[in-house]
Amino acid sequence: VMQSYMGDILERSLFRFIGTLVGAGIGLFCALIAADHFSLFIVFCFLITAGGIYFVDTTRFPYAFTIATVTALLILSYLIYQPYYVFTGAIWRVIEITIGIISALIATLLVAPKPTDEEVMSELANLADLMSQRYTALGQCYLSETLVESDTFAEIERLLAD
C-alpha cells in the first residue's frame, strides 16, 4: 500500500480492499461447494489461478486481481487444514486488510504526505524541458545533415517508462 504520492496510496488502497473483498467472496463460495470433494478443490484452485493470471495480464487493474487471486486461494486453502475456519478466516482476512490499509493511510498522512499535484507538475515540467532540449538537438542534426547520437532519446524513454 505504501507509495510515494497520496493519490497512488489511495488508489492502491482501494484496489487492495476491493480485491480482498472479492477474493474472500470467491474463496468462500468455492470452499462451500468443494467442502467434501477434493477433486472440486483442485479444479477450483486451478480455475482461480488461471483466471487470476489471465486478468492480471489483460486488465488495467492487475494489483486488484492479484490480491483477489491470493485471497481466494488463501480462503480456499483453509479447507485443507482447518475446514471449520473458512467463514471466520474470510471475515478476518477482510478485517485485517482493512486495518492495514487504514494504518498505512494514517502513517502516510502523519509522517510524510506528498501531495500529488505539485510533484507531478514538477516531473512533467522536467520531462518537457528535457524533451525540448532533445528535439532541439534533433533539429540541429537534421539541419546540419549529421547523424543523431543513439542516446539522444534514451533518457526520455527511461523517464516515460518510469
Side-chain angles (χ1 to χ4, degrees), residues 1-16 63-64 67 100-101 103-116 119-120 123 162:
V1 174
M2 298 301 287
Q3 299 290 317
S4 298
Y5 303 112
M6 198 61 200
D8 292 339
I9 293 171
L10 292 172
E11 179 184 53
R12 179 79 48 122
S13 298
L14 180 67
F15 290 155
R16 188 172 188 91
Y63 185 70
I67 297 297
I101 289 169
S103 300
L105 288 172
I106 291 172
T108 302
L109 287 173
L110 294 177
V111 175
K114 279 187 179 179
T116 303
E119 297 292 329
V120 170
E123 287 183 21
D162 291 342

Side-chain angles (χ1 to χ4, degrees), residues 1-2 9 13 16-17 20 90-108:
V1 174
M2 298 301 287
I9 293 171
S13 298
R16 188 172 188 91
F17 178 74
T20 301
I91 298 297
W92 278 106
R93 173 72 177 171
V94 173
I95 291 171
E96 288 169 356
I97 295 301
T98 304
I99 290 171
I101 289 169
I102 292 169
S103 300
L105 288 172
I106 291 172
T108 302

Side-chain angles (χ1 to χ4, degrees), residues 25-112:
I26 291 171
L28 186 60
F29 177 75
C30 292
L32 292 175
I33 293 174
D36 293 326
H37 306 288
F38 185 71
S39 57
L40 277 177
F41 171 80
I42 297 298
V43 168
F44 283 139
C45 285
F46 172 76
L47 291 175
I48 290 169
T49 303
I53 291 170
Y54 174 77
F55 286 115
V56 163
D57 195 37
T58 59
T59 63
R60 293 183 345 175
F61 313 112
Y63 185 70
F65 283 100
T66 301
I67 297 297
T69 302
V70 168
T71 302
L73 289 172
L74 177 74
I75 300 303
L76 191 58
S77 70
Y78 287 142
L79 283 178
I80 295 172
Y81 62 96
Q82 292 178 328
Y84 54 89
Y85 191 65
V86 171
F87 182 74
T88 314
I91 298 297
W92 278 106
R93 173 72 177 171
V94 173
I95 291 171
E96 288 169 356
I97 295 301
T98 304
I99 290 171
I101 289 169
I102 292 169
S103 300
L105 288 172
I106 291 172
T108 302
L109 287 173
L110 294 177
V111 175

Side-chain angles (χ1 to χ4, degrees), residues 137-150:
L138 179 66
Q140 290 173 352
C141 289
Y142 177 75
L143 291 176
S144 64
E145 296 180 0
T146 58
L147 294 175
V148 178
E149 296 177 18
S150 62

